Amino acid sequence: PWLIGLCVIGIIYGALVAMVQADVKKLVAYSSVSHLGFVMLGIASMNAVGLSGAVFQMVAHGLSTGALFLLVGVIYERRHTRLIAEYGGLWKQVPNYAVCFLIVMLGSVGLPGLCGFVGEFLILIGAFHWSPAMAAVGVSGVVLGAAYMLRMYQRVMFGELDTAKNGKLADMTRGEVAVMAPLLALIVLLGIYPQPFLGMIEKSVATTLKQAGLAPSSRA
């Protein structure tokens, strides 16, 4: 019970701290804390659905958060600042970058059809089997995650392009697109067709539960 409680606190605390960040990189970093709270919640639920979701979420988190850090690096190399207030209207100037950022950001917040949704959904189902109340509180972390990510994206990508330096930004190069393409493909693939990956996880989850003296529940 204490571990479940700490997981939920980590989810909410990480999301609230991310929400007030003025630096894009720090926002992504604290969002990572919140997402890993979900991973721990799935592990602490100690059932097949929750554990499968936790392992899947670790993969999905590595893809989406890794891609977010890469994209923050791309824009930092051009402007040498990560402050959200320094941007605005980038969709008009760097549309390819904006589209890549949009897909990765939506994958991070758990949009259905992208990788983040599957892991978080399974984790919350597993947590619900253990404690409906804790699962309900955990859901608020999903809502907060969508709030701070969408707010950040709106401030950076939309609005007026009223900073002279932003008007000179170059869009992503072919090399940068080539680096991002496999990550984007996996973010979408894991969201629309997760079963092969869940199948690979299933045996390890069953073995873990057996070693812990717990009978595996229904297949994830």
Side-chain angles (χ1 to χ4, degrees):
W2 288 103
L3 184 56
I4 291 280
L6 287 172
C7 295
V8 173
I9 290 171
I11 291 169
I12 305 301
Y13 179 78
L16 290 175
V17 176
M19 189 173 288
V20 298
Q21 295 304 311
D23 183 307
V24 181
K25 189 174 182 179
K26 289 182 179 179
L27 185 149
V28 174
Y30 280 109
S31 77
S32 180
V33 173
S34 182
H35 287 141
L36 289 175
F38 278 105
V39 172
M40 289 305 300
L41 180 62
I43 294 171
S45 67
M46 288 307 292
N47 56 57
V49 178
L51 276 173
S52 295
V55 177
F56 192 95
Q57 180 66 9
M58 282 188 269
V59 177
H61 172 75
L63 289 170
S64 59
T65 303
L68 281 172
F69 278 123
L70 282 172
L71 288 168
V72 171
V74 167
I75 203 68
Y76 180 78
E77 287 298 314
R78 289 160 168 76
R79 279 283 276 110
H80 300 289
T81 180
R82 295 188 295 266
L83 293 177
I84 296 172
E86 288 290 321
Y87 296 102
L90 294 192
W91 186 282
K92 303 171 185 177
Q93 184 67 23
V94 285
N96 294 335
Y97 177 82
V99 169
C100 289
F101 206 117
L102 177 64
I103 295 170
V104 175
M105 181 270 297
L106 292 175
S108 178
V109 302
L111 180 76
L114 298 175
C115 63
F117 173 78
V118 179
E120 289 182 358
F121 183 71
L122 292 175
I123 288 167
L124 290 171
I125 290 176
F128 185 85
H129 290 331
W130 193 92
S131 171
M134 286 297 185
V137 176
V139 169
S140 63
V142 179
V143 177
L144 290 172
Y148 63 72
M149 280 292 187
L150 290 170
R151 181 169 175 266
M152 177 272 292
Y153 190 84
Q154 186 271 333
R155 293 175 65 191
V156 171
M157 299 298 174
F158 297 117
E160 295 298 324
L161 188 66
D162 53 7
T163 302
K165 291 182 179 179
N166 293 336
K168 300 176 181 178
L169 289 176
D171 209 345
M172 295 177 71
T173 65
R174 291 183 180 180
E176 290 167 342
V177 172
V179 170
M180 288 301 303
L183 298 175
L184 295 174
L186 285 170
I187 287 170
V188 175
L189 179 62
L190 266 67
I192 62 176
Y193 191 46
Q195 191 54 48
F197 301 92
L198 291 172
M200 289 188 282
I201 295 167
E202 185 177 0
K203 185 177 179 180
S204 296
V205 167
T207 301
T208 301
L209 291 173
K210 184 178 179 181
Q211 290 175 342
L214 299 170
S217 61
S218 59
R219 182 175 177 174

